[in-house]
Amino acid sequence: MEAPAATSPSIGFPIDGRCNYFVEKKKRFCRMVAAAGKRFCGEHAGSAEEENTRKRILCPLDPKHTVYEDQLAKHLKKCNSREKPKPDFFIQDINAGLKDETEIPEQLVPFSSLSEEQLENLIKKLRKASEGLNSTHEDHIMSHPALHDALNDPRNGDCAVKHLKQQASILGNIEKLKLLGPRRCFVEFGAGKGKLSHWVDIALKDAENVHFILVERVTTRFKVDGKHRKKDSVFERLQIDIQHLCLNRVPVLREGRLPVVGIGKHLCGVATGKAAGHTVTSALAQGAGACMAPPPRAVCALIELT
Ligand SMILES: C[S@@+](CC[C@H](N)C(=O)[O-])C[C@H]1O[C@@H](n2cnc3c(N)ncnc32)[C@H](O)[C@@H]1O
Ligand SMILES: [Zn+2]
Ligand SMILES: [Zn+2]
């Protein structure tokens, strides 16, 4: 696949006083100095003669890179910015919630605009709706032996140790909830580098039939999921926004009928809600659980399902 050209203008366009020759292999203009009054450096003066007649234009799909005008049609077929076919498990806004709850501006009014009577009515409604709900939040900071060595490794700095403690606590909680076991599929929401799944995998090193689905909307560098390829566990990364993810359509869940355990660490509050709700709604039939550690100040969603 053709790599997108660099984004900086000094790479997308020739620099003043430098050679105007476009080095196709490097996807940028040559950086050699051109003699005063010349457009090309000594190296490219000859080949530039014939290239000179070809015009480079901005890619219509992404103006951050340029293409030869006469090769535009070919480029559009393989440009990285072209719309790619959506996978089966993509259903637009399937987890976006009811539109009328959030998107009808007329219904969104500030509390300060309500009369005393309207406010009292609202408070009554909220009290009634939350009756019987156990809304007290309790911290369950735990640990897990799988992370023991890493936690005691003096080469790990404060930041690494902070994350390790959080991962250890999540593993401890999943274990306490009896969710850490064989023959199931862990779905890590907002996986980033996939480290939480990595530790779950270490903790379950002797367990059979363990699958991991790592859901992450952005391309991520320094992923750790690739490290597990030789083992029995299966790691699959889905680059998709949770908002559009239909878990039931992910082949391993459709075919394997594996119970699903949703896990996550530091996923933003809204996404945590969607992930938790989503695990519940789309995987309930298969028996499941969810353990989400939201970022500080977000609404907590530590859920156990049986
Ligand atoms: C604060 S990072 C945490 C990463 C990792 N879980 C950790 O604890 O190191 C949050 C991650 O969630 C991803 N994320 C946030 N909202 C998402 C959504 N709606 N769908 C998919 N990924 C999402 C972000 O791209 C980011 O990688
Ligand atoms: Zn040159
Ligand atoms: Zn392009």
Side-chain angles (χ1 to χ4, degrees):
M1 181 174 296
E2 189 163 314
T7 54
S8 110
S10 66
I11 295 170
F13 304 96
I15 309 167
D16 276 353
R18 300 294 170 106
C19 175
N20 277 221
Y21 185 80
F22 188 80
V23 190
E24 195 63 50
K25 233 163 95 184
K26 297 185 180 167
K27 302 276 175 241
R28 62 164 172 76
F29 287 90
C30 168
R31 292 185 182 133
M32 298 293 282
V33 176
K38 303 272 181 205
R39 287 187 60 212
F40 302 99
C41 71
E43 165 101 13
H44 291 128
S47 41
E49 294 286 301
E50 60 183 70
E51 295 283 335
N52 221 0
T53 50
R54 299 175 76 194
K55 193 176 161 202
R56 286 198 77 81
I57 54 165
L58 294 178
C59 170
L61 300 177
D62 176 3
K64 289 191 195 119
H65 60 277
T66 58
V67 295
Y68 281 119
E69 194 172 30
D70 56 64
Q71 284 189 346
L72 181 61
K74 194 174 156 207
H75 170 80
L76 290 179
K77 286 191 195 141
K78 55 184 180 176
C79 174
N80 276 344
S81 301
R82 75 195 186 283
E83 178 112 1
K84 296 175 186 89
K86 298 274 186 280
D88 258 11
F89 49 79
F90 180 102
I91 301 184
Q92 183 73 37
D93 291 332
I94 185 170
N95 305 306
L98 294 171
K99 283 210 161 57
D100 61 351
E101 275 180 349
T102 52
E103 286 175 18
I104 303 175
E106 296 79 28
Q107 291 183 357
L108 296 175
V109 289
F111 283 131
S112 55
S113 71
L114 298 179
S115 68
E116 203 170 318
E117 193 188 346
Q118 284 173 314
L119 267 178
E120 271 169 14
N121 277 337
L122 179 64
I123 292 169
K124 267 189 213 150
K125 277 186 194 166
L126 287 172
R127 286 222 168 97
K128 191 148 197 268
S130 60
E131 252 170 41
L133 285 181
N134 178 7
S135 53
T136 46
H137 167 81
E138 282 173 40
D139 281 336
H140 289 281
I141 299 169
M142 303 193 69
S143 194
H144 194 279
L147 288 98
H148 184 266
D149 289 351
L151 280 166
N152 290 295
D153 187 338
R155 288 170 301 175
N156 284 323
D158 289 351
C159 182
V161 170
K162 182 185 80 181
H163 283 280
L164 288 166
K165 280 185 181 164
Q166 292 165 347
Q167 285 146 358
S169 180
I170 295 174
L171 257 69
N173 274 286
I174 308 176
E175 186 154 67
K176 184 169 164 240
L177 296 169
K178 302 200 178 356
L179 296 171
L180 195 62
R183 293 175 296 282
R184 64 199 61 199
C185 180
F186 290 88
V187 181
E188 182 176 355
F189 292 99
K193 294 176 194 157
K195 289 204 172 159
L196 184 55
S197 294
H198 163 80
W199 289 114
V200 172
D201 185 50
I202 302 272
L204 292 175
K205 64 178 187 307
D206 299 320
E208 56 169 324
N209 203 5
V210 181
H211 286 247
F212 292 90
I213 294 176
L214 284 73
V215 181
E216 173 54 63
R217 66 181 166 193
V218 299
T219 34
T220 314
R221 296 172 72 200
F222 310 119
K223 299 185 275 285
V224 292
D225 27 321
K227 291 187 182 164
H228 308 276
R229 280 201 187 117
K230 285 192 205 85
K231 290 189 45 192
D232 287 344
S233 47
V234 179
F235 275 74
E236 194 179 345
R237 190 171 269 266
L238 310 181
Q239 190 178 338
I240 187 171
D241 193 302
I242 297 163
Q243 180 157 335
H244 312 302
L245 171 65
C246 178
L247 262 188
N248 286 343
R249 289 192 172 190
V250 176
V252 65
L253 296 177
R254 207 178 40 208
E255 292 149 17
R257 308 298 297 165
L258 286 173
V260 173
V261 179
I263 54 175
K265 176 167 99 63
H266 288 179
L267 186 58
C268 78
V270 178
T272 301
K274 283 176 192 159
H278 189 50
T279 310
V280 177
T281 49
S282 43
L284 202 59
Q286 281 149 264
C291 184
M292 306 282 163
R297 295 183 301 280
V299 180
C300 181
L302 179 60
I303 301 165
E304 180 185 14
L305 304 171
T306 47

